[in-house]
């Protein structure tokens, strides 16, 4: 059950990060402060998920990193998407190229691993 929640969380986190990046960079505006704030909120929630439910975070992180690798190797999108409502592969590919989803995936995996480590003995 937690693995299925991890897959759902991974898809949701990846898509939220990609949309936050794409919405605020469309039209040549670059990486504005609102994009960074939105991505920071998603990142904070991701760390909470990875720490609170390690299996969910681990599964979500692995899924996100795997999709970023897939998007990079297949070249899903070569440029920014034309429209948010009609160009979903463009959103996913452009989001993968931003680097934020891969960073969040690694953070999810690392927070889940650190949470599962045994406590140090004195």
């Amino acid at each position: 059950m937690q693995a299925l929640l991890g897959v759902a969380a991974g898809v949701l986190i990846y898509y939220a990060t990609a949309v936050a990046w794409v919405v605020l960079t469309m039209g040549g505006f670059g990486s504005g402060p609102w994009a960074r704030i939105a991505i920071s909120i998603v990142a904070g929630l991701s760390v909470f998920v990875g720490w609170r439910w390690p299996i969910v975070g681990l599964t979500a992180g692995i899924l996100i990193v795997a999709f970023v690798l897939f998007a990079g190797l297949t070249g899903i999108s070569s440029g920014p998407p034309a429209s948010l409502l009609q160009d979903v592969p463009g959103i996913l590919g452009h989001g993968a190229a931003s680097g934020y989803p891969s960073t969040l995936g690694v953070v999810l995996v690392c927070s889940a691993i650190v949470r599962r480590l045994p406590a140090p003995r004195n």
Side-chain angles (χ1 to χ4, degrees), residues 42-121:
V42 172
L45 292 173
S46 299
V47 170
F48 174 75
V49 166
W51 189 261
R52 179 69 175 99
W53 301 286
I55 301 300
V56 174
L58 183 66
T59 308
I62 290 171
L63 178 77
I64 291 170
V65 171
F67 186 79
V68 169
L69 285 173
F70 172 76
L73 293 174
T74 61
I76 288 178
S77 175
S78 59
S83 166
L84 281 177
L85 299 176
Q86 298 170 347
D87 192 12
V88 173
I91 291 171
L92 298 178
H94 191 63
S98 74
Y100 288 113
S102 59
T103 303
L104 284 179
V106 171
V107 165
L108 278 167
V109 170
C110 290
S111 65
I113 290 172
V114 168
R115 175 76 165 130
R116 299 296 291 178
L117 290 175
R121 296 179 187 212

